[in-house]
Amino acid sequence: MAETIFALSSGAVPSGVAVIRVSGRETKMVLEKICGRVPDARKASVTRLKDPATGEVLDEALVLFFEGPRSFTGEDVAELHCHGGRAVVGKVLSELGKFENCRPAEAGEFTRRAFYHGRMDLTEVEGLADLIAAETESQRKQAVRQMGGALGELYEGWRSRLIHMRAMIEADFDFADEEDVPGSVADEVWSEAAALHGEIAIHLDKSKSGERLRSGLQVVLMGAPNAGKSSLLNAIAGRDVAIVTEEAGTTRDVIEVHLDLGGYPLTLVDTAGLRDAGGIVEREGIRRAQARGQEADLILWAMELDGVPYDDPVSGLPEELREKIPLWIVRTKSDLVTLPEQDSSGTIKEISCSDRNEEGVKMLISALTRFAEETISLGEAPLATRERHRHYLSNCLTGLKTAVHANHLPTELRAEDLRRAADALGRITGRIDVDDLLDVIFRDFCIGK
Ligand SMILES: Nc1nc2c(ncn2[C@@H]2O[C@H](COP(=O)(O)OP(=O)(O)O)[C@@H](O)[C@H]2O)c(=O)[nH]1
Ligand SMILES: [Mg+2]
């Protein structure tokens, strides 16, 4: 980290204001040269930025200086709030690049330095990335909570309990021969370990919900050709996204719309109608439809109200999707017939609607909103939000379980399993050798962050 880095940290120019961030050892020198002085730390000052070689004024800017380690990265940091013109920003960046040991930052490099200097743990880093990517209220709430350290604290709390348990076991082991040590503490430790196993298992159980909230629920429209799927997608999205014609087999590609339903993110996916016939392109469309169905959190099975016989309403739905994925039957084209409402067949929810009838579409939207609320609502406790978290949580559980159940094994081996369990948690927060993980985590970041 010998080099000082700089980048435009605010959005695309032109904009009213553009924030250029500088971090590293040369920050003070850069400020002296370009602003004439180092402003008081943490105080905003309006300053003329000048070309150090010619004295030419580049811009009038609001400058902030944060002395390390009390800064975002933990190093000396400056923020130059310039006018957001393309030429202004281009000129200031090119002047910064002329200083020795200064270079443009790579994507995520400021945050990476913050992590290296212990300003953030890895879950906080991920929370920050999620916050920047958040599109809906519930995603924002979850990200803010994680960025604030709630998830990291939970894991570090569990980890220190494990470390403590191991210390107790080892002390017990070391002094086993000495007479003045009271009876074995081991039994107590193992029952504590079993209790912790239960807590972590419950947390892991809920982790799917955190991940779905982060990435959005996947709801896939499926059904026979011409059932009215694309019309329904358009009606729900409120715009013409998919082509609608009376020709069977119009939709071949998978078409997605991202919806914000009462603050919950939901991706609605339109697919090719399922049938045996069709040319190469349509068959590929059908293959993709089925693949998306496999990953769905909910399938909306579209069928004409007046259509298919009722004994098997979802005839055409591949066997492997039945019962595995929650499914609602959406009876379409309700404007064409007025059949009495059919009884819903118990577990399957049934909704009638038509793209020509606002009421039906509204009903479907509110049912989807409730579904989203129930599936991914934020509780009090922080949730795991990534596959990475789930992976190490289950490693941790394996270690704990082995330790608790292996009462036929020597204590040293059981203590070793406790260590493995603690290390797995340490890898989530980044306390334990994570060099191999960093590239993956920081890959999602943009430049200037
Ligand atoms: N009357 C009526 N026609 C509809 C309705 N929904 C779709 N259609 C018609 O049914 C045909 C097929 O619709 P489309 O949305 O392309 O079906 P998809 O193949 O399932 O995507 C088109 O001619 C639409 O105009 C509806 O609610 N009422
Ligand atoms: Mg279609």
Side-chain angles (χ1 to χ4, degrees):
M1 259 161 277
E3 286 167 311
T4 294
I5 52 173
F6 60 87
L8 174 65
S9 283
S10 53
V13 287
S15 58
V17 178
V19 180
I20 293 171
R21 182 145 60 176
V22 182
S23 176
R25 281 186 210 153
E26 315 295 351
T27 303
K28 280 187 186 163
M29 179 275 290
V30 166
L31 286 170
E32 263 160 27
K33 295 265 169 70
I34 214 165
C35 308
R37 66 190 174 94
V38 178
D40 292 345
R42 304 177 159 266
K43 289 211 177 102
S45 47
V46 179
T47 311
R48 288 211 173 103
L49 304 183
K50 288 185 183 164
D51 179 336
T54 64
E56 187 202 349
V57 176
L58 307 174
D59 188 19
E60 198 166 80
L62 184 73
V63 177
L64 287 161
F65 172 61
F66 301 89
E67 186 146 39
R70 288 180 64 211
S71 71
F72 176 69
T73 58
E75 304 171 328
D76 283 353
V77 169
E79 281 181 17
L80 313 174
H81 297 228
C82 311
H83 291 98
R86 243 182 263 285
V88 177
V89 170
K91 180 73 176 163
V92 174
L93 290 175
S94 96
E95 287 307 321
L96 290 172
K98 288 181 190 164
F99 291 110
E100 211 163 311
N101 279 331
C102 287
R103 63 161 171 83
E106 284 161 26
E109 203 172 4
F110 290 98
T111 315
R112 199 168 182 140
R113 289 188 177 190
F115 170 71
Y116 270 120
H117 291 122
R119 303 292 291 170
M120 304 175 101
D121 75 22
L122 277 188
T123 62
E124 290 166 0
V125 165
E126 290 167 332
L128 174 60
D130 290 350
L131 186 64
I132 292 170
E135 288 182 352
T136 72
E137 237 341 70
S138 59
Q139 288 173 317
R140 182 190 62 73
K141 284 193 176 131
Q142 172 163 277
V144 163
R145 190 192 279 182
Q146 187 171 327
M147 188 186 66
L151 193 62
E153 279 163 25
L154 181 68
Y155 295 155
E156 279 304 316
W158 286 341
R159 184 163 155 256
S160 56
R161 274 163 70 185
L162 282 166
I163 291 170
H164 181 71
M165 286 176 208
R166 193 171 140 227
M168 301 293 281
I169 291 284
E170 283 180 358
D172 195 40
F173 178 72
D174 288 346
F175 297 112
D177 306 335
E178 293 177 29
E179 281 179 8
D180 54 347
V181 174
S184 166
V185 290
D187 292 345
E188 227 172 280
V189 169
W190 296 128
S191 77
E192 216 184 305
L196 182 58
H197 183 279
E199 268 178 67
I200 299 177
I202 290 171
H203 173 79
L204 180 60
D205 228 29
K206 292 185 186 151
S207 66
K208 275 265 182 257
S209 171
E211 269 182 73
R212 285 200 181 107
L213 178 50
R214 186 172 162 261
S215 55
L217 283 176
Q218 301 285 313
V219 175
V220 179
L221 274 160
M222 298 183 88
N226 265 350
K229 300 177 293 300
S230 299
S231 306
L232 207 54
L233 177 90
N234 291 344
I236 293 175
R239 59 198 161 94
D240 259 340
V241 189
I243 300 174
V244 169
T245 72
E246 64 244 0
E247 196 179 300
T250 305
T251 309
R252 278 104 178 266
D253 277 328
V254 168
I255 299 175
E256 294 187 354
V257 291
H258 294 272
L259 303 172
D260 176 345
L261 297 185
Y264 294 97
L266 187 148
T267 304
L268 186 62
V269 186
D270 184 23
T271 60
L274 305 180
R275 63 169 173 181
D276 288 333
I280 307 174
V281 180
E282 192 181 344
R283 281 208 303 277
E284 174 59 18
I286 291 170
R287 192 193 64 75
R288 291 182 189 197
Q290 291 172 346
R292 285 308 286 262
Q294 298 273 6
E295 293 164 13
D297 296 301
L298 174 68
I299 292 174
L300 297 181
W301 184 260
M303 63 190 270
E304 288 186 39
L305 188 51
D306 194 13
V308 195
Y310 210 73
D311 52 339
D312 183 13
V314 292
S315 73
L317 181 68
E319 228 23 80
E320 66 268 23
L321 294 179
R322 291 180 185 222
E323 302 195 352
K324 194 180 131 209
I325 314 259
L327 177 133
W328 297 352
I329 293 178
V330 181
R331 292 280 191 156
T332 57
K333 310 192 190 180
S334 63
D335 56 312
L336 292 181
V337 266
T338 41
L339 285 182
E341 283 281 302
Q342 300 266 13
D343 270 347
S344 161
S345 64
T347 54
I348 299 184
K349 190 183 185 87
E350 208 173 310
I351 295 173
S352 314
C353 70
S354 150
D355 69 332
R356 269 136 255 221
N357 155 7
E358 234 176 82
E359 276 312 300
V361 174
K362 267 194 198 149
M363 243 167 58
L364 182 55
I365 291 177
S366 62
L368 286 173
T369 309
R370 274 199 306 280
F371 174 76
E373 257 167 28
E374 283 159 17
T375 320
I376 53 181
S377 77
L378 276 172
E380 289 300 313
L383 298 171
T385 53
R386 292 177 190 237
E387 217 275 317
R388 186 181 85 79
H389 304 162
R390 239 181 327 121
H391 175 80
Y392 291 115
L393 286 169
S394 46
N395 284 359
C396 171
L397 284 179
T398 312
L400 253 175
K401 200 169 171 187
T402 320
V404 171
H405 290 294
N407 42 15
H408 53 286
L409 289 181
T411 314
E412 298 105 298
L413 290 183
R414 298 176 77 189
E416 182 57 21
D417 285 321
L418 285 182
R419 189 190 58 76
R420 272 196 7 231
D423 284 0
L425 294 173
R427 281 175 70 88
I428 305 183
T429 55
R431 292 286 182 90
I432 301 280
D433 63 338
V434 286
D435 281 350
D436 51 328
L437 297 175
L438 295 183
D439 287 334
V440 179
I441 289 166
F442 286 98
R443 194 174 52 200
D444 294 345
F445 276 79
C446 44
I447 290 181
K449 193 61 245 169

